[in-house]
Amino acid sequence: MNKIRTIDKDSGAVVCDAGCILEELNSQISQHGLLMPIDLGAKGSCHIGGNISTNAGGIRYIKYGSLHGSVLGLEVLPNGKILNNLSTLLKDNTGYNLNQIFIGAEGTLGIITGVSILAAKKPKHNNLIIMGMNSFENVMQTFRKTKSELLEILSAFEYCDNLSMDITLKGLQKPNPFNRFYNYYVFIETSGSNQDHDHEKIMNLFEGLQSSKIIENGIMASDMSQIAKLWELRESMIVAHTKFGDTYTLDLSLPITKADQAVTDLKDYLEKINVYDKTKPYDDSLHYVKCVTGFGHIGDGNLHLNIIVDKYDDSFTATLEKFVFGYVRDLKGSISAEHGVGLLKPDILHYSKSQTAIELMKTIKASIDPKGIMNPYKVLPA
Amino acid sequence: MNKIRTIDKDSGAVVCDAGCILEELNSQISQHGLLMPIDLGAKGSCHIGGNISTNAGGIRYIKYGSLHGSVLGLEVLPNGKILNNLSTLLKDNTGYNLNQIFIGAEGTLGIITGVSILAAKKPKHNNLIIMGMNSFENVMQTFRKTKSELLEILSAFEYCDNLSMDITLKGLQKPNPFNRFYNYYVFIETSGSNQDHDHEKIMNLFEGLQSSKIIENGIMASDMSQIAKLWELRESMIVAHTKFGDTYTLDLSLPITKADQAVTDLKDYLEKINVYDKTKPYDDSLHYVKCVTGFGHIGDGNLHLNIIVDKYDDSFTATLEKFVFGYVRDLKGSISAEHGVGLLKPDILHYSKSQTAIELMKTIKASIDPKGIMNPYKVLPA
């Protein structure tokens, strides 16, 4: 269950078992000049079949888009019959695209056993830039200028607030890459074919951002080991948080410009209900909530909102979710951007989906899995 | 039914009525620095709702990928109820992605009335290069080098054979852009943010291809009106064919390297059954079949295989389809890459799809449209 079956170097179509580990898969196809169109912190342990079942997102979504676009075919076991739809064709308009309904269905419609996915051409050069800035408005200004000026070489754009960075550096015991802290940081990755061209574009962007006072400082890594070291800061943020207490990690989709306001509004709410004091340092607070942080994929409008507490508590969970999910619903956002529904969220699906939509999901579930034996109790409410 | 409802300049999410004409939609959003992720010859008359219902492909597929990746939300009328799934979120993992089953379903599951689609950032500069070469092997060599060297700026890679070009120039009464004919041509489009960088990459590619004798000649257009003029040759190929007789236009997916062999094999077969003589010029042949041509989207393995005949004939249609569809099935290709199934192909779906897959499609159709009133007799066999 962890073998690559075929690789088409011309088209980029890779067919493999569902049990291939993402990082190993990527390392094997990279020998053929290809790159997996998905990358995420858990790459060393997650399986490609699971990535597809949960419709994973990750840090290169802004460049390579959704798995709905890059999955070419699936081999699925719904209800005892093998559906071999392992096409390697980039285009195929013969009937309904059945693969699509299994992407993100979390195994509730069938078990994915094989995968055909469109790998990207591996870029020749990467660069990673981290910039420090004063305000979230500066983050948005940097995002807009970066999207415009780095256009075709932009492969990731992530942001974090000061507290996320502080906790990550302390939690991982890493030195601060800058000589001070900034209120906000962005991580920008480029992928291109000509390092001179890429450097020129990056330097132009950097100088423009600095001369217009949008950013305070920036550092750039161009060799793979330096890049990996800096990416680790971003990829280990959740792990670092958990060193300071039980951590709620909410995974929200909302309009990009509202990401930081959501963090502020949650802090205000938690102060109002007397479980938090934002003037107290997270490692020296007597309140139940130690801190609230925000980071995430700005390019995709995906905020990871994190709350470190003394200890998980059911009553607080309910209070927290009621506030945050209502907040997200009012912004027409999603209560689960890339982490899925699983066992925990079926009953709160209505925050993000209409009754008509949920009914249609149930209709599809009933038609494909009439006995309800595929991954029961998950995704859909009873 | 032809209004843009909202545009989010930061994320690129565009929400509009299904009746918007693709070209007008593109022209309106381009004022906001955005570009539709789909482009095709019929853009002046086709509707975005139809593009999505038929899962249209087109010439920029190699850059922006499938509509399954760029459609963010749909408003659909299945069976009397409005399913408002018009999300503008790039990521949303709450339940099954219902939008996906309506993409390419050709209206058989519901009528699309509204669309939310992720537009791309509009590039600052485009270039179009046409190259002439001796063999299809040269086309493949050019494709591989282009994909590697133009990587992030490559936005289209099309090929045509000599006969397609000849017929197109004569049919449209256009001058030959070269001073002679070549056996094969490729059309390469670039989209980038820095014209100097793009030109340098293109010139490096061009010199490499010329010095290694892969190509014979090439021309490049960099201003929009020149580019449009040259693109017209490619976009009007089918129209030009129809000036010389009734034209069968088959739309096939198959392994990229086999595209030209398929054209040759069909010619041989038609000679064998005595309806064609490939030594006779297409405008001066006494045979039923005047000529067979091939062109298409090499980057997507999508061949348009065209047969000009005296007059459409049911018996010949059956003979032709039996040969070609069997040929494509043996290569694990698809009998309809981007043109869909419609009324004509339900009974031959089995050439591209397994019985299990067709049964599952029928199950889904029956569950969503139990009375069978949505676009009946289309897509699925009875």
Side-chain angles (χ1 to χ4, degrees), chain A residues 59-98:
Chain A
I59 55 175
R60 296 231 176 89
Y61 192 100
I62 194 173
K63 173 86 174 174
Y64 301 111
S66 152
L67 286 171
H68 286 286
S70 46
V71 168
L72 299 175
L74 292 175
E75 180 186 76
V76 197
L77 193 67
N79 229 350
K81 275 186 217 157
I82 291 177
L83 175 68
N84 185 338
N85 235 3
L86 269 183
S87 166
T88 55
L89 305 172
L90 275 65
K91 289 179 175 173
D92 177 15
N93 277 354
T94 51
Y96 309 150
N97 189 326
L98 295 175

mmCIF file of all heavy atoms in Angstrom, chain A residues 59-98:
data_model
loop_
_atom_site.group_PDB
_atom_site.id
_atom_site.type_symbol
_atom_site.label_atom_id
_atom_site.label_comp_id
_atom_site.label_asym_id
_atom_site.label_seq_id
_atom_site.Cartn_x
_atom_site.Cartn_y
_atom_site.Cartn_z
ATOM 1 N N ILE A 59 0.554 24.731 2.628
ATOM 2 C CA ILE A 59 1.203 26.023 2.357
ATOM 3 C C ILE A 59 1.365 26.358 0.874
ATOM 4 O O ILE A 59 1.664 27.482 0.541
ATOM 5 C CB ILE A 59 2.599 26.104 3.026
ATOM 6 C CG1 ILE A 59 3.479 24.939 2.594
ATOM 7 C CG2 ILE A 59 2.464 26.156 4.536
ATOM 8 C CD1 ILE A 59 4.894 25.033 3.110
ATOM 9 N N ARG A 60 1.203 25.401 -0.041
ATOM 10 C CA ARG A 60 1.409 25.744 -1.459
ATOM 11 C C ARG A 60 0.093 25.855 -2.225
ATOM 12 O O ARG A 60 0.064 25.896 -3.451
ATOM 13 C CB ARG A 60 2.299 24.695 -2.126
ATOM 14 C CG ARG A 60 3.688 24.669 -1.526
ATOM 15 C CD ARG A 60 4.767 24.754 -2.597
ATOM 16 N NE ARG A 60 6.083 24.834 -1.994
ATOM 17 C CZ ARG A 60 6.825 23.773 -1.677
ATOM 18 N NH1 ARG A 60 6.377 22.561 -1.932
ATOM 19 N NH2 ARG A 60 8.011 23.933 -1.137
ATOM 20 N N TYR A 61 -1.000 25.909 -1.462
ATOM 21 C CA TYR A 61 -2.337 26.012 -2.062
ATOM 22 C C TYR A 61 -2.420 27.220 -2.995
ATOM 23 O O TYR A 61 -3.001 27.154 -4.085
ATOM 24 C CB TYR A 61 -3.355 26.147 -0.927
ATOM 25 C CG TYR A 61 -4.802 25.992 -1.319
ATOM 26 C CD1 TYR A 61 -5.466 24.791 -1.096
ATOM 27 C CD2 TYR A 61 -5.515 27.046 -1.864
ATOM 28 C CE1 TYR A 61 -6.805 24.654 -1.420
ATOM 29 C CE2 TYR A 61 -6.854 26.913 -2.192
ATOM 30 C CZ TYR A 61 -7.497 25.716 -1.966
ATOM 31 O OH TYR A 61 -8.822 25.585 -2.293
ATOM 32 N N ILE A 62 -1.808 28.312 -2.581
ATOM 33 C CA ILE A 62 -1.864 29.552 -3.368
ATOM 34 C C ILE A 62 -1.262 29.356 -4.761
ATOM 35 O O ILE A 62 -1.650 30.011 -5.727
ATOM 36 C CB ILE A 62 -1.149 30.697 -2.608
ATOM 37 C CG1 ILE A 62 -1.465 32.064 -3.207
ATOM 38 C CG2 ILE A 62 0.333 30.466 -2.522
ATOM 39 C CD1 ILE A 62 -0.920 33.227 -2.389
ATOM 40 N N LYS A 63 -0.326 28.423 -4.884
ATOM 41 C CA LYS A 63 0.329 28.171 -6.179
ATOM 42 C C LYS A 63 -0.352 27.038 -6.951
ATOM 43 O O LYS A 63 -0.641 27.176 -8.134
ATOM 44 C CB LYS A 63 1.799 27.803 -5.927
ATOM 45 C CG LYS A 63 2.582 27.350 -7.149
ATOM 46 C CD LYS A 63 3.178 28.484 -7.912
ATOM 47 C CE LYS A 63 4.085 28.010 -9.040
ATOM 48 N NZ LYS A 63 4.536 29.141 -9.855
ATOM 49 N N TYR A 64 -0.560 25.916 -6.285
ATOM 50 C CA TYR A 64 -1.016 24.724 -7.006
ATOM 51 C C TYR A 64 -2.506 24.435 -6.834
ATOM 52 O O TYR A 64 -3.031 23.519 -7.459
ATOM 53 C CB TYR A 64 -0.167 23.513 -6.616
ATOM 54 C CG TYR A 64 1.304 23.721 -6.915
ATOM 55 C CD1 TYR A 64 2.237 23.859 -5.898
ATOM 56 C CD2 TYR A 64 1.744 23.840 -8.239
ATOM 57 C CE1 TYR A 64 3.585 24.088 -6.181
ATOM 58 C CE2 TYR A 64 3.092 24.073 -8.526
ATOM 59 C CZ TYR A 64 3.999 24.193 -7.493
ATOM 60 O OH TYR A 64 5.322 24.425 -7.774
ATOM 61 N N GLY A 65 -3.172 25.216 -5.986
ATOM 62 C CA GLY A 65 -4.625 25.111 -5.872
ATOM 63 C C GLY A 65 -5.103 23.869 -5.141
ATOM 64 O O GLY A 65 -4.330 23.153 -4.500
ATOM 65 N N SER A 66 -6.390 23.631 -5.281
ATOM 66 C CA SER A 66 -7.088 22.593 -4.529
ATOM 67 C C SER A 66 -6.825 21.201 -5.102
ATOM 68 O O SER A 66 -6.588 21.028 -6.295
ATOM 69 C CB SER A 66 -8.579 22.914 -4.621
ATOM 70 O OG SER A 66 -9.358 21.766 -4.525
ATOM 71 N N LEU A 67 -6.923 20.192 -4.241
ATOM 72 C CA LEU A 67 -6.819 18.804 -4.707
ATOM 73 C C LEU A 67 -7.930 18.465 -5.693
ATOM 74 O O LEU A 67 -7.771 17.567 -6.516
ATOM 75 C CB LEU A 67 -6.847 17.842 -3.512
ATOM 76 C CG LEU A 67 -5.563 17.796 -2.683
ATOM 77 C CD1 LEU A 67 -5.771 16.985 -1.415
ATOM 78 C CD2 LEU A 67 -4.399 17.208 -3.497
ATOM 79 N N HIS A 68 -9.050 19.194 -5.622
ATOM 80 C CA HIS A 68 -10.109 18.962 -6.610
ATOM 81 C C HIS A 68 -9.600 19.222 -8.028
ATOM 82 O O HIS A 68 -10.104 18.663 -8.993
ATOM 83 C CB HIS A 68 -11.325 19.844 -6.328
ATOM 84 C CG HIS A 68 -12.137 19.395 -5.154
ATOM 85 N ND1 HIS A 68 -12.949 18.292 -5.199
ATOM 86 C CD2 HIS A 68 -12.236 19.874 -3.890
ATOM 87 C CE1 HIS A 68 -13.531 18.115 -4.014
ATOM 88 N NE2 HIS A 68 -13.112 19.063 -3.201
ATOM 89 N N GLY A 69 -8.589 20.078 -8.144
ATOM 90 C CA GLY A 69 -8.004 20.341 -9.455
ATOM 91 C C GLY A 69 -6.892 19.376 -9.820
ATOM 92 O O GLY A 69 -6.658 19.116 -10.992
ATOM 93 N N SER A 70 -6.192 18.816 -8.835
ATOM 94 C CA SER A 70 -5.024 18.005 -9.198
ATOM 95 C C SER A 70 -5.223 16.496 -9.084
ATOM 96 O O SER A 70 -4.394 15.746 -9.600
ATOM 97 C CB SER A 70 -3.780 18.456 -8.418
ATOM 98 O OG SER A 70 -4.053 18.635 -7.073
ATOM 99 N N VAL A 71 -6.295 16.047 -8.455
ATOM 100 C CA VAL A 71 -6.553 14.594 -8.444
ATOM 101 C C VAL A 71 -7.126 14.191 -9.805
ATOM 102 O O VAL A 71 -8.142 14.720 -10.241
ATOM 103 C CB VAL A 71 -7.522 14.205 -7.305
ATOM 104 C CG1 VAL A 71 -8.004 12.771 -7.478
ATOM 105 C CG2 VAL A 71 -6.844 14.379 -5.961
ATOM 106 N N LEU A 72 -6.444 13.290 -10.489
ATOM 107 C CA LEU A 72 -6.887 12.853 -11.821
ATOM 108 C C LEU A 72 -7.748 11.604 -11.745
ATOM 109 O O LEU A 72 -8.594 11.365 -12.610
ATOM 110 C CB LEU A 72 -5.674 12.559 -12.709
ATOM 111 C CG LEU A 72 -4.728 13.720 -12.979
ATOM 112 C CD1 LEU A 72 -3.518 13.213 -13.773
ATOM 113 C CD2 LEU A 72 -5.439 14.821 -13.740
ATOM 114 N N GLY A 73 -7.505 10.787 -10.743
ATOM 115 C CA GLY A 73 -8.254 9.550 -10.669
ATOM 116 C C GLY A 73 -8.111 8.918 -9.299
ATOM 117 O O GLY A 73 -7.174 9.221 -8.559
ATOM 118 N N LEU A 74 -9.070 8.054 -8.960
ATOM 119 C CA LEU A 74 -9.018 7.362 -7.679
ATOM 120 C C LEU A 74 -9.429 5.905 -7.870
ATOM 121 O O LEU A 74 -10.209 5.575 -8.769
ATOM 122 C CB LEU A 74 -9.975 8.004 -6.665
ATOM 123 C CG LEU A 74 -9.637 9.418 -6.176
ATOM 124 C CD1 LEU A 74 -10.752 9.936 -5.273
ATOM 125 C CD2 LEU A 74 -8.302 9.461 -5.453
ATOM 126 N N GLU A 75 -8.889 5.084 -7.017
ATOM 127 C CA GLU A 75 -9.377 3.712 -6.896
ATOM 128 C C GLU A 75 -10.049 3.677 -5.524
ATOM 129 O O GLU A 75 -9.396 3.983 -4.517
ATOM 130 C CB GLU A 75 -8.175 2.779 -6.954
ATOM 131 C CG GLU A 75 -8.451 1.307 -6.839
ATOM 132 C CD GLU A 75 -7.109 0.566 -6.767
ATOM 133 O OE1 GLU A 75 -6.465 0.590 -5.694
ATOM 134 O OE2 GLU A 75 -6.697 -0.004 -7.778
ATOM 135 N N VAL A 76 -11.319 3.376 -5.506
ATOM 136 C CA VAL A 76 -12.072 3.480 -4.257
ATOM 137 C C VAL A 76 -12.825 2.190 -4.019
ATOM 138 O O VAL A 76 -13.223 1.503 -4.964
ATOM 139 C CB VAL A 76 -13.112 4.628 -4.326
ATOM 140 C CG1 VAL A 76 -13.580 5.014 -2.929
ATOM 141 C CG2 VAL A 76 -12.561 5.836 -5.032
ATOM 142 N N LEU A 77 -13.000 1.885 -2.767
ATOM 143 C CA LEU A 77 -13.772 0.712 -2.397
ATOM 144 C C LEU A 77 -15.040 1.191 -1.700
ATOM 145 O O LEU A 77 -15.084 1.317 -0.485
ATOM 146 C CB LEU A 77 -12.925 -0.154 -1.457
ATOM 147 C CG LEU A 77 -13.402 -1.576 -1.180
ATOM 148 C CD1 LEU A 77 -13.309 -2.436 -2.423
ATOM 149 C CD2 LEU A 77 -12.572 -2.199 -0.072
ATOM 150 N N PRO A 78 -16.081 1.522 -2.490
ATOM 151 C CA PRO A 78 -17.325 1.882 -1.830
ATOM 152 C C PRO A 78 -18.191 0.640 -1.786
ATOM 153 O O PRO A 78 -18.479 0.035 -2.814
ATOM 154 C CB PRO A 78 -17.939 2.938 -2.772
ATOM 155 C CG PRO A 78 -17.376 2.633 -4.128
ATOM 156 C CD PRO A 78 -16.208 1.674 -3.968
ATOM 157 N N ASN A 79 -18.566 0.243 -0.595
ATOM 158 C CA ASN A 79 -19.594 -0.773 -0.494
ATOM 159 C C ASN A 79 -19.254 -2.109 -1.161
ATOM 160 O O ASN A 79 -20.092 -2.708 -1.831
ATOM 161 C CB ASN A 79 -20.864 -0.204 -1.157
ATOM 162 C CG ASN A 79 -22.036 -0.415 -0.237
ATOM 163 O OD1 ASN A 79 -21.905 -1.118 0.757
ATOM 164 N ND2 ASN A 79 -23.151 0.174 -0.573
ATOM 165 N N GLY A 80 -18.005 -2.521 -1.035
ATOM 166 C CA GLY A 80 -17.649 -3.858 -1.510
ATOM 167 C C GLY A 80 -17.191 -3.960 -2.949
ATOM 168 O O GLY A 80 -16.503 -4.885 -3.326
ATOM 169 N N LYS A 81 -17.571 -2.990 -3.804
ATOM 170 C CA LYS A 81 -17.138 -3.035 -5.193
ATOM 171 C C LYS A 81 -15.937 -2.107 -5.385
ATOM 172 O O LYS A 81 -15.915 -1.001 -4.845
ATOM 173 C CB LYS A 81 -18.249 -2.525 -6.112
ATOM 174 C CG LYS A 81 -19.259 -3.575 -6.514
ATOM 175 C CD LYS A 81 -20.219 -2.972 -7.549
ATOM 176 C CE LYS A 81 -21.618 -3.505 -7.324
ATOM 177 N NZ LYS A 81 -22.655 -2.648 -7.864
ATOM 178 N N ILE A 82 -14.984 -2.542 -6.199
ATOM 179 C CA ILE A 82 -13.855 -1.650 -6.469
ATOM 180 C C ILE A 82 -14.205 -0.734 -7.630
ATOM 181 O O ILE A 82 -14.562 -1.197 -8.714
ATOM 182 C CB ILE A 82 -12.583 -2.446 -6.813
ATOM 183 C CG1 ILE A 82 -12.077 -3.182 -5.568
ATOM 184 C CG2 ILE A 82 -11.492 -1.509 -7.334
ATOM 185 C CD1 ILE A 82 -10.880 -4.053 -5.821
ATOM 186 N N LEU A 83 -14.139 0.539 -7.378
ATOM 187 C CA LEU A 83 -14.346 1.506 -8.437
ATOM 188 C C LEU A 83 -12.967 1.915 -8.928
ATOM 189 O O LEU A 83 -12.258 2.666 -8.264
ATOM 190 C CB LEU A 83 -15.100 2.722 -7.888
ATOM 191 C CG LEU A 83 -15.285 3.882 -8.860
ATOM 192 C CD1 LEU A 83 -16.235 3.493 -9.984
ATOM 193 C CD2 LEU A 83 -15.820 5.106 -8.130
ATOM 194 N N ASN A 84 -12.549 1.373 -10.066
ATOM 195 C CA ASN A 84 -11.226 1.711 -10.584
ATOM 196 C C ASN A 84 -11.349 2.867 -11.559
ATOM 197 O O ASN A 84 -11.661 2.705 -12.720
ATOM 198 C CB ASN A 84 -10.582 0.513 -11.275
ATOM 199 C CG ASN A 84 -9.166 0.849 -11.703
ATOM 200 O OD1 ASN A 84 -8.818 2.034 -11.865
ATOM 201 N ND2 ASN A 84 -8.332 -0.145 -11.867
ATOM 202 N N ASN A 85 -11.109 4.027 -11.042
ATOM 203 C CA ASN A 85 -11.205 5.250 -11.830
ATOM 204 C C ASN A 85 -9.836 5.906 -11.889
ATOM 205 O O ASN A 85 -9.722 7.109 -11.831
ATOM 206 C CB ASN A 85 -12.206 6.182 -11.128
ATOM 207 C CG ASN A 85 -13.316 6.619 -12.063
ATOM 208 O OD1 ASN A 85 -13.372 6.179 -13.205
ATOM 209 N ND2 ASN A 85 -14.170 7.491 -11.591
ATOM 210 N N LEU A 86 -8.805 5.053 -11.959
ATOM 211 C CA LEU A 86 -7.429 5.548 -11.841
ATOM 212 C C LEU A 86 -6.907 6.112 -13.154
ATOM 213 O O LEU A 86 -5.861 5.697 -13.648
ATOM 214 C CB LEU A 86 -6.516 4.424 -11.381
ATOM 215 C CG LEU A 86 -6.344 4.312 -9.869
ATOM 216 C CD1 LEU A 86 -5.351 3.216 -9.540
ATOM 217 C CD2 LEU A 86 -5.896 5.627 -9.271
ATOM 218 N N SER A 87 -7.618 7.032 -13.717
ATOM 219 C CA SER A 87 -7.222 7.620 -14.983
ATOM 220 C C SER A 87 -5.988 8.499 -14.809
ATOM 221 O O SER A 87 -5.795 9.115 -13.770
ATOM 222 C CB SER A 87 -8.375 8.472 -15.499
ATOM 223 O OG SER A 87 -7.951 9.298 -16.532
ATOM 224 N N THR A 88 -5.166 8.549 -15.831
ATOM 225 C CA THR A 88 -4.040 9.488 -15.806
ATOM 226 C C THR A 88 -4.290 10.628 -16.790
ATOM 227 O O THR A 88 -3.393 11.411 -17.082
ATOM 228 C CB THR A 88 -2.725 8.787 -16.192
ATOM 229 O OG1 THR A 88 -2.929 8.161 -17.455
ATOM 230 C CG2 THR A 88 -2.329 7.754 -15.171
ATOM 231 N N LEU A 89 -5.507 10.708 -17.308
ATOM 232 C CA LEU A 89 -5.829 11.742 -18.294
ATOM 233 C C LEU A 89 -6.060 13.077 -17.592
ATOM 234 O O LEU A 89 -6.721 13.135 -16.562
ATOM 235 C CB LEU A 89 -7.087 11.355 -19.063
ATOM 236 C CG LEU A 89 -7.038 9.990 -19.745
ATOM 237 C CD1 LEU A 89 -8.414 9.640 -20.303
ATOM 238 C CD2 LEU A 89 -5.992 9.979 -20.845
ATOM 239 N N LEU A 90 -5.524 14.138 -18.176
ATOM 240 C CA LEU A 90 -5.753 15.463 -17.607
ATOM 241 C C LEU A 90 -7.170 15.928 -17.892
ATOM 242 O O LEU A 90 -7.742 16.704 -17.143
ATOM 243 C CB LEU A 90 -4.740 16.469 -18.156
ATOM 244 C CG LEU A 90 -3.406 16.509 -17.413
ATOM 245 C CD1 LEU A 90 -2.643 15.224 -17.547
ATOM 246 C CD2 LEU A 90 -2.584 17.677 -17.876
ATOM 247 N N LYS A 91 -7.710 15.497 -19.028
ATOM 248 C CA LYS A 91 -9.060 15.893 -19.389
ATOM 249 C C LYS A 91 -9.872 14.651 -19.705
ATOM 250 O O LYS A 91 -9.428 13.797 -20.461
ATOM 251 C CB LYS A 91 -9.036 16.765 -20.647
ATOM 252 C CG LYS A 91 -8.464 18.149 -20.456
ATOM 253 C CD LYS A 91 -8.478 18.865 -21.796
ATOM 254 C CE LYS A 91 -8.041 20.303 -21.689
ATOM 255 N NZ LYS A 91 -7.908 20.910 -23.029
ATOM 256 N N ASP A 92 -11.076 14.581 -19.174
ATOM 257 C CA ASP A 92 -11.945 13.451 -19.469
ATOM 258 C C ASP A 92 -13.362 13.850 -19.111
ATOM 259 O O ASP A 92 -13.727 13.895 -17.943
ATOM 260 C CB ASP A 92 -11.521 12.220 -18.664
ATOM 261 C CG ASP A 92 -12.452 11.045 -18.897
ATOM 262 O OD1 ASP A 92 -13.233 11.084 -19.865
ATOM 263 O OD2 ASP A 92 -12.406 10.088 -18.111
ATOM 264 N N ASN A 93 -14.159 14.181 -20.116
ATOM 265 C CA ASN A 93 -15.536 14.606 -19.861
ATOM 266 C C ASN A 93 -16.529 13.542 -20.284
ATOM 267 O O ASN A 93 -17.410 13.775 -21.087
ATOM 268 C CB ASN A 93 -15.828 15.912 -20.607
ATOM 269 C CG ASN A 93 -15.333 17.114 -19.834
ATOM 270 O OD1 ASN A 93 -14.877 16.977 -18.706
ATOM 271 N ND2 ASN A 93 -15.426 18.278 -20.424
ATOM 272 N N THR A 94 -16.363 12.340 -19.749
ATOM 273 C CA THR A 94 -17.336 11.292 -20.052
ATOM 274 C C THR A 94 -18.082 10.954 -18.772
ATOM 275 O O THR A 94 -17.653 10.118 -17.988
ATOM 276 C CB THR A 94 -16.652 10.039 -20.633
ATOM 277 O OG1 THR A 94 -15.574 9.654 -19.781
ATOM 278 C CG2 THR A 94 -16.093 10.313 -22.011
ATOM 279 N N GLY A 95 -19.209 11.626 -18.590
ATOM 280 C CA GLY A 95 -20.040 11.373 -17.414
ATOM 281 C C GLY A 95 -19.590 12.169 -16.204
ATOM 282 O O GLY A 95 -18.694 12.993 -16.306
ATOM 283 N N TYR A 96 -20.232 11.899 -15.072
ATOM 284 C CA TYR A 96 -19.919 12.646 -13.857
ATOM 285 C C TYR A 96 -18.498 12.329 -13.396
ATOM 286 O O TYR A 96 -18.024 11.218 -13.531
ATOM 287 C CB TYR A 96 -20.907 12.278 -12.738
ATOM 288 C CG TYR A 96 -22.357 12.377 -13.142
ATOM 289 C CD1 TYR A 96 -23.316 11.561 -12.564
ATOM 290 C CD2 TYR A 96 -22.775 13.283 -14.104
ATOM 291 C CE1 TYR A 96 -24.656 11.645 -12.928
ATOM 292 C CE2 TYR A 96 -24.117 13.373 -14.480
ATOM 293 C CZ TYR A 96 -25.045 12.552 -13.901
ATOM 294 O OH TYR A 96 -26.357 12.622 -14.267
ATOM 295 N N ASN A 97 -17.850 13.344 -12.847
ATOM 296 C CA ASN A 97 -16.508 13.131 -12.313
ATOM 297 C C ASN A 97 -16.635 12.526 -10.913
ATOM 298 O O ASN A 97 -16.680 13.241 -9.903
ATOM 299 C CB ASN A 97 -15.744 14.455 -12.289
ATOM 300 C CG ASN A 97 -14.283 14.240 -11.962
ATOM 301 O OD1 ASN A 97 -13.936 13.339 -11.187
ATOM 302 N ND2 ASN A 97 -13.419 15.035 -12.546
ATOM 303 N N LEU A 98 -16.695 11.211 -10.866
ATOM 304 C CA LEU A 98 -16.963 10.513 -9.606
ATOM 305 C C LEU A 98 -15.864 10.721 -8.567
ATOM 306 O O LEU A 98 -16.119 10.705 -7.363
ATOM 307 C CB LEU A 98 -17.126 9.010 -9.869
ATOM 308 C CG LEU A 98 -18.342 8.629 -10.717
ATOM 309 C CD1 LEU A 98 -18.320 7.134 -11.014
ATOM 310 C CD2 LEU A 98 -19.641 8.994 -10.000
#
